[in-house]
Short mmCIF file of all heavy atoms in Angstrom, two decimals:
data_model
loop_
_atom_site.label_atom_id
_atom_site.label_comp_id
_atom_site.label_asym_id
_atom_site.label_seq_id
_atom_site.Cartn_x
_atom_site.Cartn_y
_atom_site.Cartn_z
N ARG K 34 77.42 94.26 94.21
CA ARG K 34 75.98 94.67 94.63
C ARG K 34 75.39 93.37 95.35
O ARG K 34 74.77 93.44 96.46
CB ARG K 34 75.06 94.90 93.44
CG ARG K 34 75.11 96.41 93.11
CD ARG K 34 73.82 96.94 92.42
NE ARG K 34 73.46 95.97 91.21
CZ ARG K 34 73.97 96.43 89.96
NH1 ARG K 34 74.72 97.50 89.87
NH2 ARG K 34 73.68 95.72 88.96
N ALA K 35 75.71 92.22 94.87
CA ALA K 35 75.22 90.91 95.53
C ALA K 35 75.96 90.78 96.84
O ALA K 35 75.39 90.23 97.74
CB ALA K 35 75.83 89.73 94.57
N ALA K 36 77.15 91.27 96.88
CA ALA K 36 77.82 91.20 98.26
C ALA K 36 77.21 92.05 99.33
O ALA K 36 77.00 91.62 100.39
CB ALA K 36 79.39 91.60 98.11
N VAL K 37 76.84 93.16 98.84
CA VAL K 37 76.19 94.16 99.78
C VAL K 37 74.84 93.52 100.28
O VAL K 37 74.40 93.65 101.48
CB VAL K 37 75.84 95.40 99.00
CG1 VAL K 37 74.92 96.32 100.00
CG2 VAL K 37 77.22 96.15 98.85
N ALA K 38 74.06 92.69 99.47
CA ALA K 38 72.86 92.04 99.81
C ALA K 38 73.10 91.01 100.92
O ALA K 38 72.17 90.60 101.58
CB ALA K 38 72.23 91.45 98.64
N GLU K 39 74.37 90.64 101.20
CA GLU K 39 74.75 89.70 102.21
C GLU K 39 74.69 90.31 103.73
O GLU K 39 74.93 89.78 104.73
CB GLU K 39 76.07 88.93 102.09
CG GLU K 39 76.10 88.09 100.68
CD GLU K 39 75.38 86.85 100.72
OE1 GLU K 39 74.65 86.64 101.84
OE2 GLU K 39 75.30 86.12 99.66
N VAL K 40 74.59 91.70 103.66
CA VAL K 40 74.57 92.43 104.94
C VAL K 40 73.22 92.31 105.48
O VAL K 40 72.30 93.03 104.91
CB VAL K 40 75.12 93.84 104.70
CG1 VAL K 40 75.14 94.58 106.13
CG2 VAL K 40 76.58 93.96 104.17
N ARG K 41 73.06 91.64 106.55
CA ARG K 41 71.59 91.61 107.16
C ARG K 41 71.66 92.19 108.71
O ARG K 41 70.66 92.74 108.98
CB ARG K 41 71.30 90.19 107.19
CG ARG K 41 71.15 89.56 105.98
CD ARG K 41 70.68 88.14 105.94
NE ARG K 41 71.19 87.28 105.01
CZ ARG K 41 71.53 85.96 105.15
NH1 ARG K 41 70.97 85.42 106.20
NH2 ARG K 41 72.06 85.25 104.34
N ASP K 42 72.69 92.04 109.34
CA ASP K 42 72.65 92.56 110.69
C ASP K 42 73.32 94.06 110.83
O ASP K 42 73.25 94.54 111.92
CB ASP K 42 73.24 91.60 111.71
CG ASP K 42 72.38 90.21 111.58
OD1 ASP K 42 72.49 89.35 110.80
OD2 ASP K 42 71.64 90.08 112.72
N GLY K 43 74.13 94.21 110.06
CA GLY K 43 74.92 95.42 110.03
C GLY K 43 76.12 95.48 111.01
O GLY K 43 76.59 96.56 111.50
N ILE K 44 76.37 94.31 111.50
CA ILE K 44 77.66 94.21 112.43
C ILE K 44 78.88 94.02 111.76
O ILE K 44 78.98 93.40 110.77
CB ILE K 44 77.32 92.93 113.41
CG1 ILE K 44 75.97 93.15 114.25
CG2 ILE K 44 78.52 92.84 114.42
CD1 ILE K 44 75.67 91.83 114.99
N ALA K 45 79.91 94.88 112.17
CA ALA K 45 81.21 94.72 111.50
C ALA K 45 82.28 94.05 112.51
O ALA K 45 82.23 94.16 113.68
CB ALA K 45 81.76 96.15 111.17
N PHE K 46 83.09 93.19 111.80
CA PHE K 46 84.14 92.45 112.50
C PHE K 46 85.48 92.95 111.90
O PHE K 46 85.60 92.95 110.60
CB PHE K 46 83.95 90.99 112.34
CG PHE K 46 82.90 90.45 113.04
CD1 PHE K 46 81.60 90.37 112.55
CD2 PHE K 46 83.15 89.87 114.35
CE1 PHE K 46 80.48 89.73 113.24
CE2 PHE K 46 81.94 89.39 115.05
CZ PHE K 46 80.71 89.25 114.55
N THR K 47 86.48 93.37 112.74
CA THR K 47 87.93 93.66 112.34
C THR K 47 88.60 92.32 112.20
O THR K 47 88.58 91.54 113.27
CB THR K 47 88.40 94.59 113.33
OG1 THR K 47 87.76 95.78 113.36
CG2 THR K 47 89.91 94.87 113.00
N LEU K 48 89.22 92.04 111.03
CA LEU K 48 89.79 90.79 110.80
C LEU K 48 91.35 91.00 110.82
O LEU K 48 91.99 90.19 110.20
CB LEU K 48 89.30 90.29 109.47
CG LEU K 48 87.84 90.04 109.30
CD1 LEU K 48 87.56 89.58 107.94
CD2 LEU K 48 87.27 89.36 110.47
N SER K 49 91.87 91.98 111.55
CA SER K 49 93.41 92.05 111.64
C SER K 49 93.89 91.67 113.00
O SER K 49 93.19 92.17 114.15
CB SER K 49 93.74 93.50 111.23
OG SER K 49 95.25 93.44 111.46
N LEU K 50 95.04 91.06 113.27
CA LEU K 50 95.69 91.03 114.48
C LEU K 50 96.21 92.41 114.72
O LEU K 50 96.45 93.11 113.87
CB LEU K 50 96.87 90.06 114.36
CG LEU K 50 96.61 88.45 114.21
CD1 LEU K 50 97.81 87.77 113.86
CD2 LEU K 50 95.97 88.01 115.65
N PRO K 51 96.57 92.67 116.01
CA PRO K 51 97.40 93.87 116.15
C PRO K 51 98.80 93.59 115.43
O PRO K 51 99.30 92.41 115.45
CB PRO K 51 97.76 93.95 117.70
CG PRO K 51 96.73 93.06 118.18
CD PRO K 51 96.26 92.06 117.24
N LEU K 52 99.29 94.62 114.55
CA LEU K 52 100.30 94.26 113.72
C LEU K 52 101.59 94.03 114.41
O LEU K 52 102.65 93.64 113.62
CB LEU K 52 100.45 95.43 112.65
CG LEU K 52 99.25 95.78 111.65
CD1 LEU K 52 99.56 96.77 110.73
CD2 LEU K 52 98.98 94.25 110.94
N ASP K 53 101.84 94.29 115.69
CA ASP K 53 103.04 93.87 116.33
C ASP K 53 102.96 92.41 116.95
O ASP K 53 103.92 92.04 117.56
CB ASP K 53 103.31 94.90 117.40
CG ASP K 53 102.12 95.05 118.45
OD1 ASP K 53 101.12 94.44 118.30
OD2 ASP K 53 102.49 95.72 119.47
N ILE K 54 101.90 91.75 116.56
CA ILE K 54 101.72 90.40 116.82
C ILE K 54 101.88 89.58 115.66
O ILE K 54 101.24 89.91 114.53
CB ILE K 54 100.47 90.12 117.56
CG1 ILE K 54 100.50 90.62 118.97
CG2 ILE K 54 100.11 88.65 117.69
CD1 ILE K 54 99.19 90.50 119.88
N PRO K 55 102.71 88.55 115.56
CA PRO K 55 103.49 87.90 116.71
C PRO K 55 104.69 88.71 117.17
O PRO K 55 105.39 89.34 116.31
CB PRO K 55 103.93 86.64 116.27
CG PRO K 55 104.01 86.73 114.59
CD PRO K 55 102.91 87.65 114.42
N THR K 56 104.84 88.88 118.39
CA THR K 56 106.15 89.57 118.95
C THR K 56 107.32 88.77 118.59
O THR K 56 108.40 89.22 118.35
CB THR K 56 106.07 89.92 120.33
OG1 THR K 56 105.71 88.67 121.11
CG2 THR K 56 104.91 91.01 120.65
N ILE K 57 107.29 87.49 118.68
CA ILE K 57 108.28 86.61 118.17
C ILE K 57 107.94 86.10 116.80
O ILE K 57 106.88 85.38 116.64
CB ILE K 57 108.61 85.49 119.13
CG1 ILE K 57 108.82 85.97 120.55
CG2 ILE K 57 109.62 84.48 118.68
CD1 ILE K 57 108.91 84.97 121.71
N PRO K 58 108.73 86.37 115.88
CA PRO K 58 108.32 86.18 114.44
C PRO K 58 108.04 84.71 114.13
O PRO K 58 108.67 83.89 114.73
CB PRO K 58 109.55 86.69 113.54
CG PRO K 58 110.26 87.61 114.51
CD PRO K 58 110.13 87.12 115.91
N LEU K 59 107.14 84.50 113.23
CA LEU K 59 106.97 83.14 112.72
C LEU K 59 107.70 82.76 111.51
O LEU K 59 107.90 81.64 111.04
CB LEU K 59 105.47 83.15 112.23
CG LEU K 59 104.38 83.04 113.42
CD1 LEU K 59 102.99 83.36 112.90
CD2 LEU K 59 104.44 81.68 114.16
N ALA K 60 108.49 83.81 110.90
CA ALA K 60 109.39 83.58 109.79
C ALA K 60 110.64 84.46 110.22
O ALA K 60 110.55 85.55 110.67
CB ALA K 60 108.79 84.05 108.44
N PRO K 61 111.83 83.87 109.96
CA PRO K 61 112.96 84.45 110.35
C PRO K 61 113.27 85.82 109.72
O PRO K 61 114.03 86.73 110.37
CB PRO K 61 114.24 83.56 109.98
CG PRO K 61 113.50 82.33 109.41
CD PRO K 61 111.97 82.43 109.31
N SER K 62 112.78 86.10 108.50
CA SER K 62 113.10 87.41 107.91
C SER K 62 112.10 88.52 108.19
O SER K 62 112.20 89.66 107.70
CB SER K 62 113.15 87.24 106.39
OG SER K 62 111.85 86.74 106.00
N ARG K 63 111.09 88.13 109.08
CA ARG K 63 110.03 89.05 109.35
C ARG K 63 110.12 89.56 110.78
O ARG K 63 110.32 88.79 111.73
CB ARG K 63 108.77 88.52 108.95
CG ARG K 63 108.64 88.14 107.47
CD ARG K 63 107.51 87.45 107.09
NE ARG K 63 107.59 87.01 105.67
CZ ARG K 63 106.69 86.17 105.09
NH1 ARG K 63 105.62 85.71 105.68
NH2 ARG K 63 106.97 85.97 103.80
N ARG K 64 109.80 90.83 111.03
CA ARG K 64 109.94 91.38 112.35
C ARG K 64 108.78 92.29 112.70
O ARG K 64 108.30 92.85 111.74
CB ARG K 64 111.19 92.37 112.44
CG ARG K 64 112.52 91.59 112.28
CD ARG K 64 112.89 90.94 113.55
NE ARG K 64 114.33 90.21 113.31
CZ ARG K 64 114.36 88.88 112.86
NH1 ARG K 64 113.46 88.38 112.28
NH2 ARG K 64 115.60 88.49 112.61
N PRO K 65 108.37 92.32 113.90
CA PRO K 65 107.32 93.41 114.28
C PRO K 65 107.78 94.76 113.95
O PRO K 65 108.93 95.03 113.84
CB PRO K 65 107.27 93.17 115.74
CG PRO K 65 107.91 91.99 116.10
CD PRO K 65 108.92 91.75 115.13
#
Side-chain angles (χ1 to χ4, degrees):
R34 274 208 302 274
V37 171
E39 299 290 356
V40 177
R41 295 183 219 156
D42 293 80
I44 298 169
F46 289 86
T47 295
L48 306 183
S49 173
L50 291 166
L52 294 180
D53 55 357
I54 287 179
T56 50
I57 299 171
L59 289 163
S62 60
R63 298 172 185 175
R64 297 279 180 279

